[in-house]
């Protein structure tokens, strides 16, 4: 049974991607995507029902699995190296040439000594599989109508969708393989597949900017690959095992092992776009929006967080753990500050993603049961809400021709359905009783013994509220008597958007159940007591259900006020001059009409990228050096 589920979760999406590349028509390709996504999501739910277990499959299509992975590993690195020569990029040649040599060393001198089990399923991997397979599948469905409109806009002579969906759908299988593998060499293989898929997807549009940013993503994630393969070799040299579970249960924290694990954490940092590696994720915005949604919410960046969380028990309570917590919390507050100076919606979401990933990594570094609870729950809630927001931005951009939040002013009147769903996504990212804020409350409580970390978490949380409240205010500030346009929303756009919006609400309601059924089995002790929808710790309590009741009452009165406002007499604003007849401005000097404008402050003199990025990167580099040096 387990081996069948592993096939459906790992191999089947990759086969589905290959089928997308082969089938000749868009209609048939759409059917393949829908079928693959539906079966992958169903397999993820079946894995949840199956529960924890482990297995070592002997063969796949009559080929020994371990030998097949080794062969594919060298083939994959060879393909990436070929791209390095094609791009004439010397740094890429060194990075991936080194990985080939290092992997050959491992296979020649270490691999034949290891007898690690290949796959292990626990509740952490089940949570990740559910996130990847359900949220990722919804984004793949959303991409079907999106890419049709995207290519119509580009006026392409020949569709590139076959190659696009090959990597988009195949990405799901690579991510499932990464989170389910127990043998670290298998994790490395899937880690590199995600690097290659992201490179191909970011460069999909083949513009100079797309190629440049795809190459940058390949370089930075390649650096992570170098750290990973060195960490892999170091772990075997120190612990004589490649099984993550054996490593976690050995209790060994030998200095050599800690240094090797610090390299794995460094690999996770690059994949999760932590400072100073954030530039690849910001550059990834040139890709079509479904790529951004997939990378930011359910796949690529979550792989980095998963690695750091997975190895957290090994370095809990050590200097390395403290350093990881400080690095993560610094990223949390610094990326939130950089987001304040942005008006590009995708860039706001990108910085916000980096910030929240930093918080998850900070939780892994703190390492207590309370912190791990916060990190795992934030991973789930963030995936759903962030996937929803990226898809909303893509839909809005295709109708208004801009992704600037100032251009979205008054969207609640002109595109009420899209605006309502977007506002729901924004609220779930910042307000109680929704899960993201619940997780942040848990994280701040968990950091109570570390003054430096708790200050950064508190400041970062405040900046996050500013960012999302400003965007939501723009959406709701409707011009007087604006008429709704109700642009068409294809079924395969509406289903993912509504599913993720409802999912964010339902998951927040189910937070106590998520904690007791999925997170508690990961912990040595239970940091929270659950009673009547309230999570209680020795420090405080978060009353989820009473807060939802309060929210419903507030929503009722707010809607009543909105409905009554339609009967209110409109008084044109006074502009300190003679109003124009339509009140769109006033009569200025020499009788010339002056139109009024309203916009937010972005405080770019304080929070601008050009002001902060250099200093923030220098600070982050010093913290990373401290982390690696401390592990030595």
């Amino acid at each position: 049974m387990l081996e069948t589920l592993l096939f459906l979760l790992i191999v089947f999406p990759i086969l589905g991607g290959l089928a997308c590349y082969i089938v000749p028509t868009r209609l048939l390709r759409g059917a393949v995507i829908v079928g693959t996504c539906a079966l992958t999501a169903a397999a993820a739910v079946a894995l949840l029902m199956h529960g924890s277990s482990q297995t070592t499959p002997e063969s796949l299509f009559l080929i020994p699995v371990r030998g097949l992975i080794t062969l594919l590993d060298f083939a994959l690195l060879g393909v990436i190296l070929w791209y390095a020569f094609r791009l004439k990029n010397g740094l890429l040649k060194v990075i991936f040439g080194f990985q080939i040599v290092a992997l050959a060393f491992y296979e020649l001198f270490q691999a034949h000594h290891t007898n690690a089990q290949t796959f292990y399923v626990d509740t952490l991997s089940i949570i990740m599989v559910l996130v990847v397979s359900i949220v990722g599948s919804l984004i793949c469905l959303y991409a079907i109508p999106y890419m049709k409109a995207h290519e119509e806009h580009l006026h392409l002579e020949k569709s590139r969708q076959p190659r696009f969906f090959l990597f988009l759908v195949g990405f799901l299988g690579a991510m499932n393989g990464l989170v389910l593998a127990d043998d670290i060499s298998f994790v490395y293989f899937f880690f590199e597949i995600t690097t290659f898929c992201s490179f191909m997807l970011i460069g999909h549009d083949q513009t100079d900017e797309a190629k440049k940013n795809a190459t940058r993503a390949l370089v930075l994630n390649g650096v992570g690959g170098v750290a990973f393969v060195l960490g892999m070799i170091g772990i075997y040299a120190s612990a004589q095992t490649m099984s993550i579970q054996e490593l976690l249960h050995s209790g060994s924290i030998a200095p050599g092992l800690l240094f090797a694990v610090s390299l794995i954490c460094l690999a996770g940092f690059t994949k999760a776009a932590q400072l100073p590696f954030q530039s690849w994720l910001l550059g990834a915005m040139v890709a079509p929006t479904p790529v951004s949604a997939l990378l930011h919410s359910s796949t690529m960046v979550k792989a980095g967080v998963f690695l750091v969380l997975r190895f957290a028990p090994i370095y809990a309570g050590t200097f390395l753990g403290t350093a990881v917590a400080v690095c993560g919390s610094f990223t949390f507050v610094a990326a939130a500050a950089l987001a304040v100076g942005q008006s590009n919606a995708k860039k706001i979401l990108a910085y916000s993603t980096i910030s929240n990933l930093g918080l998850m990594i900070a939780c892994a570094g703190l390492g207590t049961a309370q912190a791990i609870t916060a990190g795992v729950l934030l991973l789930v809630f963030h995936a759903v809400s962030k996937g929803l927001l990226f898809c909303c931005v893509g839909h809005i951009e295709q109708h208004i021709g801009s992704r600037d939040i100032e251009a979205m002013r008054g969207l609640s009147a002109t595109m009420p359905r899209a605006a309502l769903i977007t506002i729901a996504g924004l609220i779930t990212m910042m307000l109680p009783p929704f899960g993201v804020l619940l997780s942040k409350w848990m994280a701040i409580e968990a950091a109570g013994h570390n003054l430096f970390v708790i200050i950064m978490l508190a400041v970062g949380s405040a900046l996050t509220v500013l960012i999302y409240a400003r965007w939501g205010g723009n959406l709701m500030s409707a011009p007087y008597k604006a008429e709704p346009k109700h642009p068409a929303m294809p079924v395969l756009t509406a289903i993912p958007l509504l599913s993720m919006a409802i999912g964010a609400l339902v998951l927040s309601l189910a937070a106590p159940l998520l904690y007791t059924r999925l997170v508690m089995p990961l912990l040595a002790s239970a940091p929270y007591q659950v009673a009547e929808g309230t999570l209680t710790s020795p420090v405080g309590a978060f009353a989820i259900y009473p807060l939802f009741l309060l929210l419903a009452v507030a929503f009722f009165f707010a809607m009543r006020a909105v409905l009554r406002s339609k009967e209110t007499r409109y008084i044109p604003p006074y502009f300190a001059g003679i109003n124009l007849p339509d009140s769109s401005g006033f009569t200025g000097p020499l009788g010339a009409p002056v139109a009024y404008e309203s916009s937010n402050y972005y405080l770019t003199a304080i929070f601008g990228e050009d002001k902060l990025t250099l200093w923030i990167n220098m600070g982050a580099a010093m913290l990373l050096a401290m982390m690696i040096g401390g592990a030595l």
Side-chain angles (χ1 to χ4, degrees), residues 251-271:
S252 170
I253 52 170
L257 178 61
L258 270 186
F259 177 64
V261 171
S262 74
L263 293 175
I264 298 290
C265 289
L266 179 61
F269 279 27
T270 61
K271 192 67 82 177

Side-chain angles (χ1 to χ4, degrees), residues 73-85 100 196 199-200:
D73 220 345
F74 280 108
L76 176 64
L77 291 175
V79 169
I80 300 176
L81 190 61
W82 177 77
Y83 270 99
F85 277 95
I100 291 174
F196 183 62
F199 165 69
M200 299 302 289

